[in-house]
Amino acid sequence: MNEKIDIEVRKRKLTVELEGFTPLQVHEFARDVEERMLELEKKWNVFDTQKLGILVALELAAEVGRLKEAQDNDARVVERKLEEMTLALQSALAVSNK
């Protein structure tokens, strides 16, 4: 069972449960959300916390999307390198067996 953790973002207190994260990590997430909301508030001159929350969620979703894309690209590079190494090894073995 997950631990319930009390956090505060934009003077709103919440009790949350995030599976797989320590209370310290959850508090870090809350601080990150708070900081991003403040940045967007200044950047877009938006003071509605609901709109700011949506903007932060979109920013974070875009960041996750970029990370997934980078991870997929890395996986394709590794797969290609493994194929190249396998072909090189097969070729080397074929030469040595002659």
Side-chain angles (χ1 to χ4, degrees), residues 7 13-14 17-19 24 26 29 32 34-35 38 41 43 47 56 68 73 76-78 87-88 94-95 97-98:
I7 61 167
K13 294 180 187 225
L14 300 163
E17 292 180 64
L18 294 178
E19 186 176 334
L24 182 61
V26 173
F29 298 154
D32 185 37
E34 177 84 29
E35 288 172 9
L38 288 170
E41 182 179 81
K43 179 179 178 180
F47 302 99
V56 169
K68 282 182 180 178
N73 288 338
R76 282 191 291 275
V77 168
V78 168
L87 290 173
V95 169
N97 287 334
K98 288 185 180 181

Side-chain angles (χ1 to χ4, degrees), residues 44-69:
W44 296 102
N45 204 29
V46 173
F47 302 99
D48 180 327
T49 56
Q50 287 183 331
K51 287 180 183 177
L52 287 169
I54 292 168
L55 290 170
V56 169
L58 287 170
E59 256 192 9
L60 292 170
E63 190 174 313
V64 167
R66 284 189 294 274
L67 290 171
K68 282 182 180 178
E69 189 174 307

